């Protein structure tokens, strides 16, 4: 019975979600529940919240998990087995995999939430529609932040340092805005939603959200909005061309709020052609995701697929 289920936890800063999938039919969601993380109460409380949620779902199903996958806001350092790069800062430096395994009495496997997004869209989502046999898939997150996840032969690539897929922290703009990672001009500080909104404010003197900026550009009535969208498209083309040059994935999936902008899939691809090492030809399907905010928790469950 226990092997019939795939258990996943999406460990976010505001909520913790558990999903249980059928190991025999990934489209079948057996159970799904979420609770508040209450991260302000500290690391130990987060662990206890996870244990409470798993216990609740176990009671519903009448079975306890032997293996659970986790989508985490940072990564587990393979060398030290402690967490790093978490925006829920109480997790950083903590042996979270060991602590979760002890609290739950189960084998655990951790992956960055962007990697879980990429895995879920590969095995259950958009990739199944365009190339279900894709060997290499890259998942992009373009929203409040910018991240990425890499899946090869249906497996997440965490990498030697645990930073596989960290596309958002490559330098895109020399002398650009300082990033919390210690560098300046990272992809995240050029084409994330907040970065583009800051650029618009600097050019126009006004504060607008991305949907309004896009509307102004499409209407042809706001030169600052057009400059902002132009900045997004040009830098998207530069940054994604590098991904294709290095990995040449069969599919790229773009999630996050900025990823909903239709221009990325038309004019954005034209900009990639300017920079790709392939005589200006881009054959890579670049698609929107299908799973919405389910991708993280489903991807976590698929870590043991």
């Amino acid at each position: 019975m226990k092997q019939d289920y795939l258990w996943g936890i999406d460990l976010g800063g505001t909520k913790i979600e558990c999903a249980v999938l059928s190991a025999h039919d990934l489209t079948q969601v057996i159970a799904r529940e979420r609770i508040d993380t209450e991260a302000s109460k500290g690391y130990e409380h987060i662990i206890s919240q996870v244990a409470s949620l798993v216990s609740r779902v176990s009671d519903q199903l009448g079975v306890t998990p032997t293996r659970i996958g986790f989508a985490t806001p940072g990564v587990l350092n393979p060398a030290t087995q402690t967490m790093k790069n978490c925006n829920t800062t109480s997790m950083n430096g903590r042996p979270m995999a060991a602590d979760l395994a002890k609290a739950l009495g189960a084998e655990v496997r951790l992956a960055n939430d962007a990697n879980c997004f990429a895995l879920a869209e590969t095995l259950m989502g958009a990739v199944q529609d365009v190339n279900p046999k894709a060997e290499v898939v890259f998942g992009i997150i373009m929203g409040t932040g910018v991240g990425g996840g890499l899946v090869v032969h249906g497996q997440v690539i965490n990498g030697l340092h645990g930073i596989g897929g960290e596309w958002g922290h490559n330098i895109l703009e020399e002398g650009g805005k300082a990033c919390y990672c210690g560098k300046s001009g990272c992809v995240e500080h050029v084409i994330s939603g907040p970065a583009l909104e800051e650029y618009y404010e600097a050019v126009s003197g006004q504060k607008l959200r991305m949907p309004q900026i896009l509307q102004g550009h499409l209407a042809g009535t706001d030169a600052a909005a057009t400059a902002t969208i132009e900045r997004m498209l040009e830098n998207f083309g530069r940054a994604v061309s590098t991904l294709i040059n290095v990995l040449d994935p069969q599919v790229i999936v773009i999630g996050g709020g900025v990823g909903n902008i239709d221009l990325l899939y038309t004019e954005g691809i034209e900009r990639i052609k300017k920079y790709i090492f392939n005589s200006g030809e881009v054959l890579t399907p670049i698609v929107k995701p299908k799973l919405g905010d389910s991708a993280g928790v489903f991807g976590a469950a698929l870590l043991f697929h």
Side-chain angles (χ1 to χ4, degrees):
M1 178 73 74
K2 294 177 183 177
Q3 284 69 38
D4 290 341
Y5 296 153
L6 297 172
W7 290 68
I9 299 280
D10 187 4
L11 188 51
T14 57
K15 55 89 179 170
I16 302 170
E17 183 170 12
C18 177
V20 183
L21 307 179
S22 167
H24 310 294
D25 177 5
L26 299 181
T27 64
Q28 187 178 359
V29 181
I30 307 297
R32 191 168 179 181
E33 189 159 342
R34 66 172 63 182
I35 60 173
D36 292 338
T37 307
E38 299 178 353
S40 62
K41 296 184 180 179
Y43 174 77
E44 287 77 12
H45 185 73
I46 294 172
I47 299 295
S48 71
Q49 286 289 86
V50 172
S52 175
L53 178 59
V54 171
S55 177
R56 186 185 305 183
V57 177
S58 295
D59 288 344
Q60 289 176 15
L61 297 181
V63 60
T64 56
T66 58
R67 304 185 301 181
I68 309 180
F70 284 83
T72 61
V75 297
L76 187 71
N77 186 328
T80 64
Q81 289 296 299
T82 57
M83 297 298 292
K84 64 180 180 180
N85 302 340
C86 297
N87 51 18
T88 304
T89 55
S90 64
M91 297 179 187
N92 289 324
R94 299 297 192 114
M96 181 164 264
D99 290 343
L100 287 169
K102 182 179 179 181
L104 301 172
E107 181 185 356
V108 304
R109 193 169 288 170
L110 276 58
N112 179 266
D113 47 16
N115 277 321
C116 289
F117 160 79
L119 183 62
E121 290 293 344
T122 297
L123 298 180
M124 298 174 64
V127 177
Q128 291 296 307
D129 291 340
V130 294
N131 186 353
K133 295 183 179 179
E135 295 178 347
V136 180
V137 175
F138 198 89
I140 286 173
I141 305 291
M142 287 177 64
T144 304
V146 172
L150 176 60
V151 174
V152 177
H153 297 297
Q155 300 291 320
V156 164
I157 304 299
N158 288 309
L160 179 64
H161 302 93
I163 57 172
E166 281 290 1
W167 175 65
H169 292 281
N170 291 295
I171 295 173
L172 184 56
E173 185 176 58
E174 289 291 342
K177 184 178 177 183
C179 181
Y180 72 87
C181 75
K183 300 190 293 292
S184 296
C186 289
V187 174
E188 179 165 296
H189 281 296
V190 180
I191 59 173
S192 69
L196 291 165
E197 289 168 2
E198 286 179 17
Y199 178 81
Y200 177 84
E201 184 179 2
V203 173
S204 70
Q206 285 185 277
K207 282 190 175 184
L208 288 182
R209 302 302 304 274
M210 276 305 295
Q212 298 167 295
I213 294 169
L214 178 63
Q215 187 177 21
H217 165 69
L218 293 175
T221 58
D222 186 339
T226 293
T228 302
I229 298 301
E230 176 66 24
R231 175 177 172 81
M232 177 193 73
L233 292 170
E234 189 71 9
N235 284 290
F236 171 81
R238 290 175 60 200
V240 174
S241 70
T242 302
L243 278 179
I244 298 175
N245 286 348
V246 174
L247 298 171
D248 207 7
Q250 274 93 5
V251 184
I252 294 174
V253 187
I254 307 178
V258 178
N260 287 322
I261 296 176
D262 290 336
L263 285 171
L264 292 173
Y265 304 89
T266 54
E267 181 60 28
I269 292 174
E270 292 301 311
R271 303 305 174 93
I272 297 170
K273 291 178 181 178
K274 290 174 59 178
Y275 299 105
I276 190 175
F277 183 56
N278 194 44
S279 301
E281 185 175 42
V282 176
L283 301 177
T284 316
I286 300 177
V287 298
K288 293 183 179 181
K290 287 186 65 177
L291 301 176
D293 65 1
S294 300
V297 72
F298 289 170
L302 292 167
L303 291 173
F304 279 107
H305 176 62

